[in-house]
Amino acid sequence: MASHYTDPNEATRKAKLEEVEQDDSHRPPFILSYPEVKLLGIAGVGFFLDAYDLFVINPVATMLQYRLYGGHSLPSNLEGFMKAGANIGSVIGQFTFGYLADALGRKAVYGKELMLIILATILCLTTPTGSISPNGCLIYLGMFRILLGVGVGGDYPMSASVTSDRANLRKRGTMLAYIFSNQGWGSFMGSIVFIIVLECYRHVMDTKGEVSKVDGVWRIVVGVSLIPAFGTLYQRLHLPESTRFQESQRLAERDDAYYFDEEKKQKAEEAGVTVHEKPVPLGNTRSHSSGSSENATNDPTVVGAEEGRGVKGAAAVKKTQFMEFIHYFSEWRHLKILLGTCICWFLLDIAFYGINLNQNVVLQQIGFDGKTGTTDWEKLHRLAVGNLIITALGFVPGYYATVLTIEYLGRWKIQFFGFLMEALFLGIMAGRFYELSKPAFIVNFALLQFFFNFGANSTTYIYPAEVFPTRFKAFAHGMSAACGKAGAIISALAFNSLSKSIGTPAVLWIFFGCCIAGAVFTCLLPEVKMRDPDVVYEEEEREKRKLKQQSA
């Protein structure tokens, strides 16, 4: 059995990993430096666009009723497809960009997702409402919303990994919460833009009665999202690779070199050749690859005993990024965390998107569903005001409650109790859906939105960016986000039909059950406040190598 070996470089490597995120400043975590504000602007635009799109698809659907169907409802199946299109594309984008960010590097991929968003938005604006059938227009728009979703979905793992790679450890959660809070501003700005553009069209639509001009309203509302997209594209395409990612790649090469040597040693033993080696320095690739005359052998059966050592030799047999990912999550201690992030996000988005993709049901309860008013313009205006009320009351404040408290309360408490509070207010809405007064319904719904965002909607995004090592972070985050979007797709496609068949209160009880289950599955997750996943991963790898040497 090999003697116990202490790697003299271990403390140095850990310090290098930690110093990337450590911060000696004593300022509160939510007080940002200029570089952090700049990073917030670059990375946050994707979530701004995600929420902007999530918001505007509801009023766009209403406006298309007037443009294509004479004010009558859209076909339920096509309406569901149009609303779910972006989420369908998001699943593709989250898997694809998450994998590529780990395999090729953040710098090689970042910005490409924003280019897709820009292209898809322009294509959505080209919907030929006057040239093809109304149903054909909805299919046309839905198809390009799928492409839009690929870009929006790709932004989830990209911006999460780019931000967490660069954030100081003591304010990493705050930075991620700031990035995610752009969802609140996206929804808020969407409602503001809708009202402003409607006001600009008031004379032609309300006074002259040319309701068909609503076609211009929805195109302008959608097209405004191109301004922040173009504004940050250059910065994304030229953002350098982070020190943390580069360090993780060096450690990955070191690990590959170590296991490559172990593989060749095993081949030598199978060939009947005994190779006597000193303990391999754990983590020092240069000393590892330099070799020693004591280890040399002239036996040709020992394939490349020395010349194949180190990073160059390891690269020849380097496992693919996907296989490394599978190997890492083949251990239950890692798999249970991935299951926790995936399942919690899936359950959350069933309820969150079920409510927010179908706000017309809520707006109807408070009298702002766009069905009352003397003219079509007034109906649309009431719908716009109703959306602004909902967004201002609960959507934006919840995000900033998370920003201000996440480094003090921790992620686990915010997610666990957030799920329970969401279940509470969903239960009230489900049980008293027809009995609640208008003010009571507004307060209850605002509180529900508040605890969505001061709760699981924020932390399900933050957790995968903090709990997994840099080497696998983007793909694991993309996988978790894709599971969330799968829940959103289910809600988008099933909500309308379920509401008609079993009633809206029964659907809200289903959402209630999802939130209770989300609280249960949160128990699979550790608290990650001030936890460095790369240091944890390095410790685990060091223990594996020590055990392997001791058993040799």
Side-chain angles (χ1 to χ4, degrees):
M1 179 178 293
S3 60
H4 176 74
Y5 179 78
T6 302
D7 180 11
N9 298 299
E10 190 67 27
T12 302
R13 286 199 317 278
K14 286 173 64 176
K16 284 182 180 179
L17 285 171
E18 290 172 331
E19 72 182 4
V20 177
E21 293 187 344
Q22 282 289 5
D23 180 23
D24 295 329
S25 171
H26 296 291
R27 293 179 302 177
F30 50 83
I31 303 297
L32 304 182
S33 64
Y34 173 73
E36 289 168 335
V37 172
K38 184 178 179 180
L39 177 61
L40 175 62
I42 295 172
V45 69
F47 292 95
F48 179 93
L49 296 175
D50 178 33
Y52 189 93
D53 170 74
L54 171 65
F55 163 79
V56 300
I57 192 58
N58 285 304
V60 165
T62 303
M63 286 186 276
L64 288 176
Q65 291 179 12
Y66 292 99
R67 178 63 182 89
L68 300 175
Y69 294 90
H72 300 292
S73 298
L74 303 179
S76 58
N77 57 338
L78 291 179
E79 182 181 9
F81 171 69
M82 184 179 65
K83 290 182 176 181
N87 289 321
I88 294 170
S90 289
V91 173
I92 301 170
Q94 284 156 346
F95 273 113
T96 304
F97 281 89
Y99 172 76
L100 292 177
D102 284 341
L104 303 180
R106 284 51 160 153
K107 177 178 171 54
V109 181
Y110 203 39
K112 311 303 187 295
E113 74 294 330
L114 193 54
M115 293 171 68
L116 268 181
I117 292 174
I118 292 171
L119 173 63
T121 301
I122 293 172
L123 291 172
C124 286
L125 295 177
T126 65
T127 303
T129 50
S131 303
I132 59 177
S133 68
N135 288 359
C137 287
L138 296 185
I139 294 171
Y140 183 100
L141 183 58
M143 291 299 295
F144 287 121
R145 279 180 54 77
I146 292 176
L147 181 62
L148 174 67
V150 174
V152 169
D155 193 76
Y156 275 70
M158 290 306 307
S159 289
S161 52
V162 163
T163 302
S164 61
D165 287 351
R166 287 171 167 77
N168 294 317
L169 187 60
R170 63 180 290 270
K171 56 170 65 175
R172 182 182 58 199
T174 301
M175 279 296 296
L176 289 164
Y178 264 124
I179 297 295
F180 199 66
S181 69
N182 280 276
Q183 277 198 339
W185 289 112
S187 297
F188 186 75
M189 288 305 298
S191 60
I192 293 292
V193 170
F194 185 26
I195 290 176
I196 291 174
V197 177
L198 267 179
E199 288 291 343
C200 293
Y201 272 76
R202 181 171 189 170
H203 177 71
V204 69
M205 289 181 61
D206 199 25
T207 305
K208 292 186 175 182
E210 298 179 21
V211 181
S212 63
K213 296 297 183 180
V214 76
D215 204 37
V217 177
W218 78 260
R219 292 179 197 273
I220 293 174
V221 170
V222 171
V224 165
S225 66
L226 291 172
I227 297 173
F230 276 115
T232 55
L233 179 60
Y234 178 85
Q235 287 84 354
R236 285 197 176 201
L237 292 173
H238 291 83
L239 193 69
E241 198 67 87
S242 69
T243 304
R244 174 169 284 268
F245 182 79
Q246 292 172 339
E247 179 70 10
S248 75
Q249 292 301 99
R250 285 193 289 271
L251 295 179
E253 290 171 350
R254 184 282 321 275
D255 290 341
D256 290 336
Y258 172 79
Y259 290 115
F260 178 68
D261 285 349
E262 290 296 311
E263 181 181 335
K264 290 199 294 184
K265 181 179 176 182
Q266 184 178 355
K267 288 182 179 179
E269 291 174 350
E270 291 173 356
V273 177
T274 302
V275 179
H276 300 284
E277 297 188 74
K278 293 189 298 184
V280 176
L282 305 180
N284 190 330
T285 307
R286 290 191 187 92
S287 61
H288 179 189
S289 60
S290 61
S292 169
S293 59
E294 295 178 18
N295 297 334
T297 175
N298 294 322
D299 196 306
T301 59
V302 183
V303 182
E306 288 300 325
E307 66 275 11
R309 284 187 178 279
V311 176
K312 184 177 179 181
V317 293
K318 188 180 187 299
K319 299 188 294 292
T320 65
Q321 177 70 25
F322 181 74
M323 292 308 298
E324 291 173 348
F325 182 91
I326 294 296
H327 177 74
Y328 176 78
F329 286 104
S330 64
E331 297 183 39
W332 171 245
R333 59 180 171 175
H334 302 145
L335 179 61
K336 73 175 183 179
I337 296 175
L338 182 61
L339 288 174
T341 59
C342 289
I343 295 173
C344 287
W345 208 335
F346 172 78
L347 293 168
L348 179 277
D349 275 7
I350 288 178
F352 180 77
Y353 280 87
I355 293 291
N356 286 287
L357 281 177
N358 298 280
Q359 284 187 359
N360 288 347
V361 174
V362 177
L363 293 171
Q364 183 179 356
Q365 292 298 108
I366 63 176
F368 285 92
D369 60 341
K371 294 184 178 179
T372 57
T374 57
T375 66
D376 292 335
W377 183 91
E378 288 183 1
K379 293 177 183 179
L380 288 170
H381 190 266
R382 287 187 65 81
L383 176 65
V385 172
N387 279 299
L388 180 61
I389 291 171
I390 290 174
T391 303
L393 284 179
F395 221 69
V396 174
Y399 287 111
Y400 284 92
T402 302
V403 167
L404 295 174
T405 62
I406 190 168
E407 302 297 355
Y408 303 103
L409 297 177
R411 291 68 166 154
W412 195 91
K413 287 181 181 178
I414 292 177
Q415 179 159 311
F416 181 79
F417 290 106
F419 267 127
L420 294 182
M421 294 302 292
E422 292 155 25
L424 170 64
F425 292 110
L426 282 167
I428 293 172
M429 286 176 61
R432 308 288 295 176
F433 189 76
Y434 298 110
E435 287 79 19
L436 285 173
S437 65
K438 187 179 297 184
F441 197 95
I442 292 175
V443 170
N444 189 85
F445 186 76
L447 288 171
L448 172 63
Q449 291 283 44
F450 178 83
F451 282 105
F452 266 135
N453 300 307
F454 181 40
N457 188 41
S458 294
T459 54
T460 49
Y461 167 77
I462 293 170
Y463 248 118
E466 292 195 285
V467 73
F468 300 115
T470 301
R471 193 172 180 180
F472 311 111
K473 181 193 304 177
F475 195 23
H477 194 286
M479 184 176 293
S480 302
C483 289
K485 290 302 182 184
I489 293 168
I490 291 173
S491 279
L493 296 178
F495 184 91
N496 288 332
S497 57
L498 278 177
S499 294
K500 292 174 182 177
S501 60
I502 63 176
T504 300
V507 176
L508 293 175
W509 280 120
I510 294 174
F511 296 163
F512 168 87
C514 288
C515 291
I516 294 296
V520 173
F521 280 101
T522 299
C523 296
L524 292 173
L525 301 173
E527 177 54 65
V528 292
K529 182 174 67 173
M530 292 300 294
R531 178 182 185 270
D532 190 323
D534 289 327
V535 173
V536 173
Y537 176 63
E538 193 58 17
E539 290 283 355
E540 293 173 353
E541 290 298 298
R542 184 170 64 88
E543 288 300 318
K544 287 180 185 178
R545 291 190 291 268
K546 283 171 59 177
L547 290 173
K548 199 162 188 176
Q549 287 182 358
Q550 291 171 1
S551 62

